[in-house]
Amino acid sequence: MDLQLKGRVAVVTGGSKGIGLAVVRTLVEEGAFVVAVSRGGSEGLGALEGPNLVHVAGDLMEEGFAEEVVARAVGAFGGLDVLVNNAGGPAGGVVLPRGAFLDGGDREWRTIFEFNLFAVLRLTRVALPYLMERGGSVVNVSSALARQPATNNYEYAAAKAALSHVAKGLAEEFGPRGVRVNTVSPGVVRTNWWTDEGGVADMFAGAMGVDRDTLLDETLPGMLRLSTGRFVEPQEIADAVVLLASPRSGSTNGSDFVVDGGLLKEM
């Protein structure tokens, strides 16, 4: 299926690995011009190097960086059609997963909200005038945790819930101005955060007395009652993101697509 993205200009945050890298790769394969934003490069991003890709390195929490990102997109490719707000997770020395409510304080909450909500809103605010010029779209990557409160990761889940909420309002305000705003909410995704040496999988595996592969392939899917029996792959999230970004989803606005392997059980 032709997603009608050839020649369109996209900004993707968190674009050097995991979900973001899969989104960048898919957009490039569809013929889009892509500005990948991340703190640093990666082997995977380097493999995509070419005339359709620009990498902008920096911290989305730094003042003025949002303006720099949009300026690079407009300067390199002449405009902006798609904004994918994918960057999220831990930042500023805050480690995820987080524990019980009393284990954290204001610093953790402020840092997580700054990265997962306010940095997203800042970049969106800068991008919207350009998106309105060309009838563009915004896709925010939220989380299944935005819908499912738990007794841990309070700050992250609350920030993602706020992001999903704001996206719905933006869709209502800017839909009549030609800009669609949608959300993708992943469940448990097999990213570097889990699989890197010394990462979360190793931490959980040690605590549970199993090896990393058993934990990822059997233990956690069973504990989380994933009806597919496995973690979500980054490409599966990217496919949903790129479809929502595409003109082929021209009547989809204000929606939240859950891609979670059956994690959420409620209606």
Side-chain angles (χ1 to χ4, degrees), residues 118-187:
F118 298 129
V120 174
L121 300 183
R122 198 156 44 240
L123 181 56
T124 303
R125 189 178 296 118
V126 176
L128 273 168
Y130 297 93
L131 294 170
M132 284 188 285
E133 284 182 4
R134 295 165 64 136
S137 65
V138 178
V139 183
N140 294 324
V141 178
S142 182
S143 170
L145 288 178
R147 296 188 180 208
Q148 182 168 290
T151 57
N152 56 16
N153 294 316
Y154 282 98
E155 308 95 322
Y156 176 74
K160 289 297 192 179
L163 177 62
S164 297
H165 183 98
V166 172
K168 192 78 169 179
L170 291 174
E172 183 70 15
E173 179 178 358
F174 289 95
R177 306 188 203 183
V179 180
R180 297 179 299 107
V181 183
N182 292 290
T183 302
V184 174
S185 291

Side-chain angles (χ1 to χ4, degrees), residues 59-110:
D59 188 343
L60 288 162
M61 296 195 294
E62 288 186 0
E63 185 177 352
F65 187 57
E67 288 82 358
E68 178 184 342
V69 168
V70 173
R72 287 288 299 277
V74 174
F77 302 124
L80 183 60
D81 300 286
V82 175
L83 172 61
V84 178
N85 288 308
N86 165 71
V94 177
V95 177
L96 291 177
R98 301 247 335 122
F101 177 72
L102 293 178
D103 292 343
D106 287 354
R107 185 188 74 82
E108 288 81 7
W109 279 81
R110 289 192 185 103

Side-chain angles (χ1 to χ4, degrees), residues 20-69:
L21 179 60
V23 172
V24 169
R25 183 186 302 113
T26 305
L27 286 168
V28 170
E29 289 172 352
E30 290 292 328
F33 296 104
V34 183
V35 175
V37 182
S38 62
R39 291 191 180 97
S42 70
E43 183 178 344
L45 193 60
L48 299 175
E49 184 177 355
N52 279 37
L53 177 65
V54 169
H55 177 227
V56 180
D59 188 343
L60 288 162
M61 296 195 294
E62 288 186 0
E63 185 177 352
F65 187 57
E67 288 82 358
E68 178 184 342
V69 168

